Amino acid sequence: SSRDESGQLLENMQRMQQQLQRVLAAQVEMAQRHDAGQISYRMDESAFPGDYGRMVRDSNALAAAQIAVTLRLAQIMDRYAVGDLSEDMDRLPGEKAALTATMDTVKQNLTAMNREINQLATAAAAGDFSVRGDAQRFQYDFRAMVDSLNQLMATADGNLQSLSTLLQSIAAGDRTARMHGEFQGVLARMRDDANATSEQ
């Protein structure tokens, strides 16, 4: 409580300590609010004098920059989720470049899947069920998707080959030819109709 230089120094140090404690408390509050999902919350830099206000402003800017990257990632993923692959992730610097690389990989894999599906659909529309997708290019569910499409193409190809063989036999005069095998749905009806035709 003295008014000499030592007392003034201690008083100034006490004020500095109080300001630092206020900054720390504001940062803790911002962290808690962000953890609770209120990511738009920022500390009030005008409540702090001088360089303390600058510290708060810089902390706000740092948080805003990180949140902006996260929101941009979410925006791009939202577009990819509905099939719009027209946008690329921003080219981020330094260690954040890993985020760009990951988004690029997502886009490349989705684009590759789209090419496989288009290739198989185009072939099927042209009546060529012998075409297969390259499942080995993919992993996990993407590989399973291509495998499933390949199975679809193989099933259609085999069933249509069986029908074609029967019709060729009938055309060649073989009245004993029949279509055998496990078929389902419209393919089972085609088998039964083809066999009935042969019997007739």
Side-chain angles (χ1 to χ4, degrees), residues 157-173:
D157 191 35
N159 293 339
L160 291 173
Q161 285 295 336
S162 294
L163 179 60
S164 176
T165 300
L166 173 64
L167 294 176
Q168 287 173 0
S169 296
I170 293 172

Side-chain angles (χ1 to χ4, degrees), residues 128-187:
D128 182 2
F129 292 92
S130 66
V131 175
R132 300 292 179 267
D134 185 5
Q136 299 306 312
R137 285 182 62 185
F138 302 98
Q139 297 178 346
Y140 307 108
D141 284 347
F142 282 171
R143 179 177 286 182
M145 288 170 66
V146 176
D147 281 337
S148 294
L149 290 170
N150 285 341
Q151 182 62 41
L152 174 66
M153 294 290 279
T155 300
D157 191 35
N159 293 339
L160 291 173
Q161 285 295 336
S162 294
L163 179 60
S164 176
T165 300
L166 173 64
L167 294 176
Q168 287 173 0
S169 296
I170 293 172
D174 180 0
R175 293 174 293 159
T176 64
R178 298 292 182 274
M179 198 172 159
H180 303 285
E182 290 296 319
F183 298 94
Q184 297 177 3
V186 68
L187 296 171

Side-chain angles (χ1 to χ4, degrees), residues 77-126:
M77 283 302 293
D78 186 52
R79 298 311 310 152
Y80 290 178
V82 296
D84 178 5
L85 304 178
S86 62
E87 284 192 70
D88 290 322
M89 182 59 194
D90 306 342
R91 304 294 99 182
L92 299 173
E95 294 176 4
K96 291 191 283 187
L99 299 173
T100 300
T102 298
M103 293 300 287
D104 288 349
T105 301
V106 169
K107 181 176 180 175
Q108 289 165 4
N109 286 339
L110 290 172
T111 301
M113 276 298 300
N114 192 36
R115 276 196 302 268
E116 293 290 329
I117 292 169
N118 283 338
Q119 173 192 347
L120 294 172
T122 300

Side-chain angles (χ1 to χ4, degrees), residues 18-30 43 48:
Q18 290 169 347
Q19 288 295 344
L20 288 171
Q21 287 172 341
R22 288 182 61 225
V23 169
L24 180 59
Q27 289 177 333
V28 167
E29 181 180 4
M30 184 165 79
M43 295 177 283
F48 299 92

